[in-house]
């Protein structure tokens, strides 16, 4: 358990392509597969008393490819499977929006769709004892890396899984050099905790 009187580091982890195998719009739990190293990586953060958050754009909601109940079932599969291996996610933050959505409640030019910082800012409201000088962002896309334009992360780490390899090409083109590149989520954990 964490104390309210102490501050704790936090890691923000993208979902698709970082924790689970990238498979386009995942609209059923059967299409959701954790990477085999995901639980190990998250457990390492748990042991070091990090807050572990998932931050994910799920535009499939706005597009009507799946509903909130299905997403909850997918996330239940994820957290149950992780928990069996002793790995705990503190909270999952989802952006369901798309400014062109046919579904009114999701039609919004929101401030939480990555690379915007809304999901991270929400976690600061929910957990006031985050040590904001010790926060880390992990993901496979530029939209994950670019949150660092709004939020000061201790480290921003790109994994080579998911869209990682094509993101590396974009990073080279854009001459971004503030990003650490690692093989996968487990290597990211080792890099942060070394
Ligand atoms: Mg991703
Ligand atoms: Zn949003």
């Amino acid at each position: 358990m964490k104390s309210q009187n102490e501050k704790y580091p936090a890691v923000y982890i993208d979902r698709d392509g970082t924790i689970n195998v990238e498979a386009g719009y995942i609209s059923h739990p059967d299409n959701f597969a954790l990477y085999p190293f995901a639980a190990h990586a998250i457990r390492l953060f748990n042991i070091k008393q990090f807050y572990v958050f998932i931050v994910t754009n799920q535009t499939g909601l706005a597009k009507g490819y799946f509903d909130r109940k299905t997403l909850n079932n997918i996330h239940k599969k994820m957290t149950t499977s992780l928990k069996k291996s002793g790995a705990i996610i503190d909270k999952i933050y989802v952006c369901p929006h798309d400014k062109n959505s046919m579904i009114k409640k999701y039609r919004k030019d929101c401030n939480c769709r990555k690379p915007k910082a809304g999901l991270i800012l929400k976690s600061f409201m929910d957990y006031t004892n985050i040590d904001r000088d010790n926060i880390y962002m992990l993901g496979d896309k530029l939209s994950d890396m670019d949150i660092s334009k709004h939020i000061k992360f201790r480290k921003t780490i790109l994994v080579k899984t998911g869209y990682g390899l094509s993101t590396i090409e974009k990073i080279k083109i854009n001459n971004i050099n503030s990003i650490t590149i690692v093989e996968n989520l487990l290597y990211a954990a080792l890099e942060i905790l070394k």
Side-chain angles (χ1 to χ4, degrees), residues 136-154:
Y136 300 83
M137 182 68 217
L138 314 180
D140 69 323
K141 281 188 174 178
L142 269 189
S143 53
D144 301 311
M145 304 297 101
D146 284 349
I147 307 176
S148 62
K149 289 175 181 167
H150 315 289
I151 299 274
K152 196 172 176 303
F153 294 109
R154 181 87 176 263

Side-chain angles (χ1 to χ4, degrees), residues 45-88:
F45 288 121
N46 293 152
I47 290 166
K48 295 291 184 182
Q49 295 236 300
F50 274 60
Y51 276 116
V52 179
F53 301 118
I54 292 181
V55 285
T56 179
N57 288 347
Q58 290 298 326
T59 316
L61 285 167
K63 292 187 188 294
Y65 296 160
F66 50 87
D67 59 14
R68 186 61 90 150
K69 188 159 172 277
T70 302
L71 184 68
N72 289 345
N73 287 337
I74 291 165
H75 285 168
K76 185 155 227 168
K77 179 180 178 181
M78 171 174 69
T79 53
T80 305
S81 168
L82 287 171
K83 212 176 261 177
K84 268 189 200 147
S85 307
I88 306 293

Side-chain angles (χ1 to χ4, degrees), residues 94-97 110-113:
V94 174
C95 168
H97 303 113
C110 68
N111 63 12
C112 58
R113 184 176 166 75

Side-chain angles (χ1 to χ4, degrees), residues 14-18 20 22 56 114 139-141 143-144 162-163:
D14 167 55
R15 199 192 83 179
D16 299 327
T18 305
N20 59 281
E22 168 62 51
T56 179
K114 298 182 292 182
D140 69 323
K141 281 188 174 178
S143 53
D144 301 311
Y163 287 104

